[in-house]
Amino acid sequence: MTSEPHAANLRLGVTDRRVVGLRERLIRASEGATGVSPDAVKDPSHFDETLDGALRIFQQNKGLIVDGVLGPETETALTQAQYTLGDRPLFYDAEHPLRGEDVELIQANLSRLGFYYGHLNGVFCRKTHYAVVELQQNLGLEADGVVDLETIAALARINKNITSSKAYSLRDYHRLEQATNALKQRVIILLPWSTSGQAISPTAPEQFTADQERITTDVALRTYELLNNVGASPVILSTGSYMTRSGEPVRTVESKAAATQGHPDALVLTLHCDWNASESANGVATYYWGDQDGAETFSPIGETAARYILKELISRTGAQDLGCHARQWELLRYSNAPTVWIDLGYLSSAAERINLENPEHRERLAESILCALQRMYVRSADNIATGTMSLSDIEDYYNSN
């Protein structure tokens, strides 16, 4: 077996010196990663079935795509899983923020105590720093924002007396309950496929990239127009420039951070097409940030939007329901605003490709997104059956408010 090029992803059957390091990192990161130790196999540089199984279990536990491939997202998760709380001091570094499961654990503990109200994303951000400083002040420690052994020990002494308040989730729920004016002036950030960083399926043909970009950009532009017409503040993440069908310039930004700056109630919608080796694969799905086993939702607004959008897509297009799922993908986890990943259909399916190439179908996809957001932000709209709200219903609402 020949060695893989250094930049290639590691997978079953590959022989590469990097496999030895993968074995060691899996042992440190995963409980029960038995049989993968370099000392337990004849050739530790060979990616065998035992290692493949251990990597898939790790991916399953982390809410990643379970493909047995050490790709960029799995690499990131594996690197962050190397640290347990106390292995290193944690502190705020604006240029190179610390990431890891130890950071996420500190955020979780600070959240339970009511000091931290951000997402548990495992990134030691400025908000985490301020929460640590406040904790240290309350505990009578030096308030330097550094999570050292003294801070961890003091936190452990009080931790047994607290229960999870899920303050980060409660704040999201509160924002949703207090939402007024529905979509008016609300910032909705639309990400066509090319700006999402999504990896391409290895079974997809070369043309899939261009087709997916063209279709998701068109759906984003159609959604932009509908949202703009009801007074929302949509923006498309892109380095290009576009015009609406009425000849107005489309608002674009080059980064999510720039779009969400000063808009804590912004919502991010990232649009995708899918590909499967089987031509029979078909349907639509949505994703939000949470535990894959359903034990914890880290983005309640993301989950709510994902469920409303899926229902409208199913009702208005007749597509197969592939479900609304919690995942810890990087795009969902590290956004500073609630994010929904929307799979619009499979280009590998002949029937769905015909639909996705049809402008009328793409207009229905955009209408589904608009109506879903209207239903979410105006709870009184729940008395209208899913899939029956019309654009005139929405226009009447804003004309009378």
mmCIF file of all heavy atoms in Angstrom, residues 103-118 120 124 127-136 139 145 147 151 155 158-159 162 165 167-168:
data_model
loop_
_atom_site.group_PDB
_atom_site.id
_atom_site.type_symbol
_atom_site.label_atom_id
_atom_site.label_comp_id
_atom_site.label_asym_id
_atom_site.label_seq_id
_atom_site.Cartn_x
_atom_site.Cartn_y
_atom_site.Cartn_z
ATOM 1 N N VAL A 103 -12.670 24.727 27.401
ATOM 2 C CA VAL A 103 -13.306 26.050 27.340
ATOM 3 C C VAL A 103 -14.824 25.906 27.404
ATOM 4 O O VAL A 103 -15.508 26.645 28.119
ATOM 5 C CB VAL A 103 -12.894 26.789 26.052
ATOM 6 C CG1 VAL A 103 -13.603 28.147 25.989
ATOM 7 C CG2 VAL A 103 -11.392 26.988 25.992
ATOM 8 N N GLU A 104 -15.349 24.930 26.677
ATOM 9 C CA GLU A 104 -16.801 24.717 26.685
ATOM 10 C C GLU A 104 -17.292 24.343 28.081
ATOM 11 O O GLU A 104 -18.378 24.768 28.502
ATOM 12 C CB GLU A 104 -17.165 23.626 25.686
ATOM 13 C CG GLU A 104 -18.662 23.442 25.521
ATOM 14 C CD GLU A 104 -19.017 22.486 24.393
ATOM 15 O OE1 GLU A 104 -18.199 22.333 23.466
ATOM 16 O OE2 GLU A 104 -20.108 21.889 24.459
ATOM 17 N N LEU A 105 -16.515 23.567 28.816
ATOM 18 C CA LEU A 105 -16.915 23.175 30.171
ATOM 19 C C LEU A 105 -16.939 24.384 31.104
ATOM 20 O O LEU A 105 -17.850 24.521 31.930
ATOM 21 C CB LEU A 105 -15.967 22.101 30.706
ATOM 22 C CG LEU A 105 -16.311 21.531 32.081
ATOM 23 C CD1 LEU A 105 -17.722 20.967 32.107
ATOM 24 C CD2 LEU A 105 -15.304 20.452 32.483
ATOM 25 N N ILE A 106 -15.948 25.260 30.975
ATOM 26 C CA ILE A 106 -15.951 26.487 31.780
ATOM 27 C C ILE A 106 -17.166 27.344 31.438
ATOM 28 O O ILE A 106 -17.850 27.879 32.322
ATOM 29 C CB ILE A 106 -14.645 27.278 31.550
ATOM 30 C CG1 ILE A 106 -13.531 26.721 32.443
ATOM 31 C CG2 ILE A 106 -14.821 28.754 31.859
ATOM 32 C CD1 ILE A 106 -13.764 26.912 33.935
ATOM 33 N N GLN A 107 -17.460 27.475 30.154
ATOM 34 C CA GLN A 107 -18.632 28.253 29.751
ATOM 35 C C GLN A 107 -19.912 27.658 30.335
ATOM 36 O O GLN A 107 -20.796 28.389 30.784
ATOM 37 C CB GLN A 107 -18.722 28.302 28.223
ATOM 38 C CG GLN A 107 -17.653 29.148 27.560
ATOM 39 C CD GLN A 107 -17.700 29.051 26.048
ATOM 40 O OE1 GLN A 107 -18.110 28.031 25.500
ATOM 41 N NE2 GLN A 107 -17.275 30.099 25.364
ATOM 42 N N ALA A 108 -20.012 26.330 30.327
ATOM 43 C CA ALA A 108 -21.203 25.674 30.865
ATOM 44 C C ALA A 108 -21.362 25.962 32.351
ATOM 45 O O ALA A 108 -22.458 26.254 32.836
ATOM 46 C CB ALA A 108 -21.138 24.168 30.609
ATOM 47 N N ASN A 109 -20.254 25.892 33.100
ATOM 48 C CA ASN A 109 -20.314 26.162 34.533
ATOM 49 C C ASN A 109 -20.652 27.620 34.817
ATOM 50 O O ASN A 109 -21.441 27.925 35.713
ATOM 51 C CB ASN A 109 -18.974 25.798 35.182
ATOM 52 C CG ASN A 109 -18.844 24.313 35.446
ATOM 53 O OD1 ASN A 109 -19.386 23.779 36.411
ATOM 54 N ND2 ASN A 109 -18.128 23.619 34.581
ATOM 55 N N LEU A 110 -20.071 28.516 34.043
ATOM 56 C CA LEU A 110 -20.373 29.942 34.212
ATOM 57 C C LEU A 110 -21.826 30.225 33.865
ATOM 58 O O LEU A 110 -22.477 31.076 34.485
ATOM 59 C CB LEU A 110 -19.444 30.772 33.324
ATOM 60 C CG LEU A 110 -17.969 30.786 33.730
ATOM 61 C CD1 LEU A 110 -17.129 31.403 32.623
ATOM 62 C CD2 LEU A 110 -17.766 31.543 35.036
ATOM 63 N N SER A 111 -22.347 29.517 32.881
ATOM 64 C CA SER A 111 -23.746 29.690 32.501
ATOM 65 C C SER A 111 -24.672 29.247 33.617
ATOM 66 O O SER A 111 -25.661 29.920 33.926
ATOM 67 C CB SER A 111 -24.024 28.883 31.215
ATOM 68 O OG SER A 111 -25.393 28.885 30.919
ATOM 69 N N ARG A 112 -24.360 28.117 34.219
ATOM 70 C CA ARG A 112 -25.197 27.608 35.318
ATOM 71 C C ARG A 112 -25.245 28.585 36.494
ATOM 72 O O ARG A 112 -26.237 28.668 37.205
ATOM 73 C CB ARG A 112 -24.679 26.255 35.780
ATOM 74 C CG ARG A 112 -24.801 25.150 34.738
ATOM 75 C CD ARG A 112 -24.408 23.804 35.320
ATOM 76 N NE ARG A 112 -24.419 22.776 34.301
ATOM 77 C CZ ARG A 112 -23.325 22.230 33.756
ATOM 78 N NH1 ARG A 112 -22.139 22.626 34.161
ATOM 79 N NH2 ARG A 112 -23.414 21.313 32.831
ATOM 80 N N LEU A 113 -24.143 29.296 36.677
ATOM 81 C CA LEU A 113 -24.084 30.253 37.782
ATOM 82 C C LEU A 113 -24.666 31.617 37.413
ATOM 83 O O LEU A 113 -24.772 32.501 38.255
ATOM 84 C CB LEU A 113 -22.633 30.423 38.240
ATOM 85 C CG LEU A 113 -22.034 29.213 38.967
ATOM 86 C CD1 LEU A 113 -20.530 29.371 39.094
ATOM 87 C CD2 LEU A 113 -22.668 29.047 40.340
ATOM 88 N N GLY A 114 -25.014 31.793 36.132
ATOM 89 C CA GLY A 114 -25.613 33.048 35.706
ATOM 90 C C GLY A 114 -24.634 34.125 35.329
ATOM 91 O O GLY A 114 -25.006 35.291 35.169
ATOM 92 N N PHE A 115 -23.340 33.763 35.147
ATOM 93 C CA PHE A 115 -22.341 34.752 34.763
ATOM 94 C C PHE A 115 -22.176 34.849 33.246
ATOM 95 O O PHE A 115 -21.744 35.871 32.737
ATOM 96 C CB PHE A 115 -20.974 34.418 35.377
ATOM 97 C CG PHE A 115 -20.938 34.515 36.874
ATOM 98 C CD1 PHE A 115 -20.683 33.398 37.652
ATOM 99 C CD2 PHE A 115 -21.165 35.725 37.511
ATOM 100 C CE1 PHE A 115 -20.647 33.478 39.021
ATOM 101 C CE2 PHE A 115 -21.128 35.819 38.893
ATOM 102 C CZ PHE A 115 -20.876 34.694 39.655
ATOM 103 N N TYR A 116 -22.483 33.770 32.550
ATOM 104 C CA TYR A 116 -22.228 33.725 31.104
ATOM 105 C C TYR A 116 -23.532 33.481 30.366
ATOM 106 O O TYR A 116 -24.275 32.551 30.689
ATOM 107 C CB TYR A 116 -21.229 32.602 30.794
ATOM 108 C CG TYR A 116 -20.900 32.446 29.327
ATOM 109 C CD1 TYR A 116 -20.085 33.358 28.685
ATOM 110 C CD2 TYR A 116 -21.413 31.377 28.583
ATOM 111 C CE1 TYR A 116 -19.772 33.225 27.341
ATOM 112 C CE2 TYR A 116 -21.103 31.236 27.237
ATOM 113 C CZ TYR A 116 -20.288 32.156 26.626
ATOM 114 O OH TYR A 116 -19.982 32.013 25.298
ATOM 115 N N TYR A 117 -23.800 34.307 29.346
ATOM 116 C CA TYR A 117 -25.050 34.212 28.601
ATOM 117 C C TYR A 117 -24.823 33.982 27.103
ATOM 118 O O TYR A 117 -25.713 34.207 26.313
ATOM 119 C CB TYR A 117 -25.885 35.484 28.794
ATOM 120 C CG TYR A 117 -26.332 35.677 30.217
ATOM 121 C CD1 TYR A 117 -25.617 36.489 31.081
ATOM 122 C CD2 TYR A 117 -27.455 35.016 30.704
ATOM 123 C CE1 TYR A 117 -26.014 36.663 32.389
ATOM 124 C CE2 TYR A 117 -27.863 35.188 32.013
ATOM 125 C CZ TYR A 117 -27.140 36.016 32.855
ATOM 126 O OH TYR A 117 -27.532 36.174 34.152
ATOM 127 N N GLY A 118 -23.635 33.556 26.754
ATOM 128 C CA GLY A 118 -23.351 33.313 25.347
ATOM 129 C C GLY A 118 -23.542 31.857 24.973
ATOM 130 O O GLY A 118 -23.962 31.026 25.778
ATOM 131 N N LEU A 120 -22.387 28.110 24.134
ATOM 132 C CA LEU A 120 -21.338 27.221 24.620
ATOM 133 C C LEU A 120 -20.591 26.662 23.410
ATOM 134 O O LEU A 120 -20.772 25.518 23.011
ATOM 135 C CB LEU A 120 -21.937 26.075 25.443
ATOM 136 C CG LEU A 120 -22.899 26.472 26.573
ATOM 137 C CD1 LEU A 120 -23.265 25.254 27.404
ATOM 138 C CD2 LEU A 120 -22.309 27.551 27.454
ATOM 139 N N PHE A 124 -12.825 30.746 23.777
ATOM 140 C CA PHE A 124 -12.627 31.677 24.890
ATOM 141 C C PHE A 124 -12.648 33.103 24.336
ATOM 142 O O PHE A 124 -11.623 33.698 24.017
ATOM 143 C CB PHE A 124 -11.309 31.397 25.612
ATOM 144 C CG PHE A 124 -11.293 31.886 27.044
ATOM 145 C CD1 PHE A 124 -11.384 31.001 28.087
ATOM 146 C CD2 PHE A 124 -11.203 33.240 27.324
ATOM 147 C CE1 PHE A 124 -11.378 31.444 29.405
ATOM 148 C CE2 PHE A 124 -11.199 33.703 28.628
ATOM 149 C CZ PHE A 124 -11.284 32.799 29.679
ATOM 150 N N LYS A 127 -16.549 37.730 25.870
ATOM 151 C CA LYS A 127 -17.679 37.520 26.766
ATOM 152 C C LYS A 127 -17.339 36.493 27.846
ATOM 153 O O LYS A 127 -17.721 36.634 29.011
ATOM 154 C CB LYS A 127 -18.899 37.064 25.957
ATOM 155 C CG LYS A 127 -20.198 37.014 26.741
ATOM 156 C CD LYS A 127 -21.346 36.582 25.847
ATOM 157 C CE LYS A 127 -21.612 37.587 24.753
ATOM 158 N NZ LYS A 127 -22.819 37.231 23.956
ATOM 159 N N THR A 128 -16.592 35.443 27.456
ATOM 160 C CA THR A 128 -16.156 34.434 28.427
ATOM 161 C C THR A 128 -15.200 35.055 29.432
ATOM 162 O O THR A 128 -15.274 34.779 30.637
ATOM 163 C CB THR A 128 -15.473 33.257 27.706
ATOM 164 O OG1 THR A 128 -16.329 32.774 26.667
ATOM 165 C CG2 THR A 128 -15.186 32.131 28.681
ATOM 166 N N HIS A 129 -14.302 35.902 28.943
ATOM 167 C CA HIS A 129 -13.345 36.584 29.822
ATOM 168 C C HIS A 129 -14.068 37.404 30.895
ATOM 169 O O HIS A 129 -13.743 37.314 32.090
ATOM 170 C CB HIS A 129 -12.438 37.491 28.985
ATOM 171 C CG HIS A 129 -11.603 38.442 29.795
ATOM 172 N ND1 HIS A 129 -10.446 38.060 30.448
ATOM 173 C CD2 HIS A 129 -11.789 39.766 30.082
ATOM 174 C CE1 HIS A 129 -9.939 39.103 31.088
ATOM 175 N NE2 HIS A 129 -10.738 40.141 30.888
ATOM 176 N N TYR A 130 -15.044 38.200 30.470
ATOM 177 C CA TYR A 130 -15.777 39.026 31.433
ATOM 178 C C TYR A 130 -16.515 38.154 32.458
ATOM 179 O O TYR A 130 -16.604 38.513 33.640
ATOM 180 C CB TYR A 130 -16.770 39.927 30.708
ATOM 181 C CG TYR A 130 -16.129 41.037 29.905
ATOM 182 C CD1 TYR A 130 -16.681 41.466 28.710
ATOM 183 C CD2 TYR A 130 -14.967 41.650 30.360
ATOM 184 C CE1 TYR A 130 -16.093 42.490 27.968
ATOM 185 C CE2 TYR A 130 -14.371 42.675 29.633
ATOM 186 C CZ TYR A 130 -14.923 43.082 28.440
ATOM 187 O OH TYR A 130 -14.340 44.094 27.717
ATOM 188 N N ALA A 131 -17.046 37.012 32.004
ATOM 189 C CA ALA A 131 -17.747 36.116 32.921
ATOM 190 C C ALA A 131 -16.793 35.539 33.955
ATOM 191 O O ALA A 131 -17.135 35.413 35.135
ATOM 192 C CB ALA A 131 -18.426 34.998 32.137
ATOM 193 N N VAL A 132 -15.576 35.180 33.526
ATOM 194 C CA VAL A 132 -14.578 34.645 34.461
ATOM 195 C C VAL A 132 -14.174 35.709 35.471
ATOM 196 O O VAL A 132 -14.053 35.433 36.675
ATOM 197 C CB VAL A 132 -13.342 34.132 33.698
ATOM 198 C CG1 VAL A 132 -12.228 33.757 34.672
ATOM 199 C CG2 VAL A 132 -13.703 32.929 32.840
ATOM 200 N N VAL A 133 -13.993 36.933 34.995
ATOM 201 C CA VAL A 133 -13.626 38.032 35.898
ATOM 202 C C VAL A 133 -14.716 38.235 36.956
ATOM 203 O O VAL A 133 -14.421 38.385 38.153
ATOM 204 C CB VAL A 133 -13.419 39.338 35.098
ATOM 205 C CG1 VAL A 133 -13.320 40.539 36.047
ATOM 206 C CG2 VAL A 133 -12.157 39.238 34.255
ATOM 207 N N GLU A 134 -15.969 38.222 36.529
ATOM 208 C CA GLU A 134 -17.076 38.397 37.477
ATOM 209 C C GLU A 134 -17.117 37.255 38.480
ATOM 210 O O GLU A 134 -17.359 37.465 39.683
ATOM 211 C CB GLU A 134 -18.392 38.493 36.720
ATOM 212 C CG GLU A 134 -19.572 38.860 37.611
ATOM 213 C CD GLU A 134 -20.856 39.052 36.834
ATOM 214 O OE1 GLU A 134 -20.832 38.965 35.580
ATOM 215 O OE2 GLU A 134 -21.901 39.269 37.482
ATOM 216 N N LEU A 135 -16.882 36.018 38.006
ATOM 217 C CA LEU A 135 -16.833 34.875 38.915
ATOM 218 C C LEU A 135 -15.727 35.059 39.948
ATOM 219 O O LEU A 135 -15.949 34.862 41.157
ATOM 220 C CB LEU A 135 -16.592 33.591 38.112
ATOM 221 C CG LEU A 135 -16.264 32.347 38.949
ATOM 222 C CD1 LEU A 135 -17.513 31.851 39.669
ATOM 223 C CD2 LEU A 135 -15.675 31.249 38.063
ATOM 224 N N GLN A 136 -14.552 35.434 39.489
ATOM 225 C CA GLN A 136 -13.415 35.593 40.399
ATOM 226 C C GLN A 136 -13.678 36.689 41.426
ATOM 227 O O GLN A 136 -13.318 36.550 42.600
ATOM 228 C CB GLN A 136 -12.150 35.898 39.591
ATOM 229 C CG GLN A 136 -11.665 34.714 38.758
ATOM 230 C CD GLN A 136 -10.570 35.082 37.783
ATOM 231 O OE1 GLN A 136 -10.524 36.201 37.268
ATOM 232 N NE2 GLN A 136 -9.678 34.145 37.501
ATOM 233 N N LEU A 139 -15.828 35.291 44.067
ATOM 234 C CA LEU A 139 -15.168 34.279 44.891
ATOM 235 C C LEU A 139 -14.001 34.847 45.689
ATOM 236 O O LEU A 139 -13.342 34.117 46.433
ATOM 237 C CB LEU A 139 -14.659 33.130 44.003
ATOM 238 C CG LEU A 139 -15.737 32.302 43.290
ATOM 239 C CD1 LEU A 139 -15.087 31.243 42.408
ATOM 240 C CD2 LEU A 139 -16.670 31.654 44.303
ATOM 241 N N GLY A 145 -9.166 37.163 34.952
ATOM 242 C CA GLY A 145 -9.781 36.502 33.812
ATOM 243 C C GLY A 145 -9.096 35.240 33.355
ATOM 244 O O GLY A 145 -9.475 34.655 32.334
ATOM 245 N N VAL A 147 -8.328 31.363 33.851
ATOM 246 C CA VAL A 147 -8.840 30.159 34.518
ATOM 247 C C VAL A 147 -7.649 29.268 34.832
ATOM 248 O O VAL A 147 -7.197 28.470 34.011
ATOM 249 C CB VAL A 147 -9.856 29.414 33.624
ATOM 250 C CG1 VAL A 147 -10.409 28.190 34.360
ATOM 251 C CG2 VAL A 147 -10.988 30.332 33.210
ATOM 252 N N THR A 151 -8.682 28.973 40.331
ATOM 253 C CA THR A 151 -10.048 29.301 39.924
ATOM 254 C C THR A 151 -10.878 28.034 39.740
ATOM 255 O O THR A 151 -12.043 27.969 40.150
ATOM 256 C CB THR A 151 -10.033 30.108 38.615
ATOM 257 O OG1 THR A 151 -9.281 31.320 38.811
ATOM 258 C CG2 THR A 151 -11.446 30.461 38.172
ATOM 259 N N LEU A 155 -14.196 26.978 41.832
ATOM 260 C CA LEU A 155 -15.430 26.688 41.104
ATOM 261 C C LEU A 155 -15.962 25.311 41.484
ATOM 262 O O LEU A 155 -17.174 25.116 41.648
ATOM 263 C CB LEU A 155 -15.172 26.762 39.603
ATOM 264 C CG LEU A 155 -16.363 26.572 38.673
ATOM 265 C CD1 LEU A 155 -17.421 27.637 38.931
ATOM 266 C CD2 LEU A 155 -15.912 26.631 37.226
ATOM 267 N N ILE A 158 -18.136 25.075 44.710
ATOM 268 C CA ILE A 158 -19.520 25.550 44.688
ATOM 269 C C ILE A 158 -20.357 24.836 43.634
ATOM 270 O O ILE A 158 -21.580 24.903 43.661
ATOM 271 C CB ILE A 158 -19.588 27.068 44.436
ATOM 272 C CG1 ILE A 158 -18.994 27.427 43.069
ATOM 273 C CG2 ILE A 158 -18.875 27.827 45.536
ATOM 274 C CD1 ILE A 158 -19.190 28.882 42.695
ATOM 275 N N ASN A 159 -19.716 24.166 42.712
ATOM 276 C CA ASN A 159 -20.427 23.556 41.593
ATOM 277 C C ASN A 159 -21.421 22.501 42.045
ATOM 278 O O ASN A 159 -22.465 22.316 41.429
ATOM 279 C CB ASN A 159 -19.436 22.946 40.609
ATOM 280 C CG ASN A 159 -20.096 22.592 39.284
ATOM 281 O OD1 ASN A 159 -20.895 23.352 38.769
ATOM 282 N ND2 ASN A 159 -19.763 21.435 38.758
ATOM 283 N N ILE A 162 -25.121 23.668 42.567
ATOM 284 C CA ILE A 162 -25.883 24.350 41.535
ATOM 285 C C ILE A 162 -26.437 23.354 40.538
ATOM 286 O O ILE A 162 -25.967 22.232 40.418
ATOM 287 C CB ILE A 162 -25.017 25.389 40.802
ATOM 288 C CG1 ILE A 162 -23.817 24.700 40.126
ATOM 289 C CG2 ILE A 162 -24.535 26.459 41.738
ATOM 290 C CD1 ILE A 162 -22.954 25.655 39.332
ATOM 291 N N SER A 165 -28.997 26.047 34.721
ATOM 292 C CA SER A 165 -30.047 27.033 34.469
ATOM 293 C C SER A 165 -30.242 27.263 32.980
ATOM 294 O O SER A 165 -31.197 27.912 32.567
ATOM 295 C CB SER A 165 -29.671 28.372 35.124
ATOM 296 O OG SER A 165 -28.508 28.903 34.505
ATOM 297 N N ALA A 167 -28.837 29.274 31.071
ATOM 298 C CA ALA A 167 -29.083 30.698 30.900
ATOM 299 C C ALA A 167 -28.948 31.139 29.455
ATOM 300 O O ALA A 167 -29.669 32.008 28.987
ATOM 301 C CB ALA A 167 -28.103 31.488 31.776
ATOM 302 N N TYR A 168 -28.000 30.532 28.729
ATOM 303 C CA TYR A 168 -27.810 30.915 27.329
ATOM 304 C C TYR A 168 -29.069 30.600 26.525
ATOM 305 O O TYR A 168 -29.474 31.355 25.649
ATOM 306 C CB TYR A 168 -26.597 30.189 26.744
ATOM 307 C CG TYR A 168 -26.673 28.690 26.851
ATOM 308 C CD1 TYR A 168 -27.108 27.919 25.789
ATOM 309 C CD2 TYR A 168 -26.346 28.049 28.041
ATOM 310 C CE1 TYR A 168 -27.208 26.545 25.905
ATOM 311 C CE2 TYR A 168 -26.444 26.688 28.164
ATOM 312 C CZ TYR A 168 -26.873 25.941 27.103
ATOM 313 O OH TYR A 168 -26.977 24.578 27.215
#
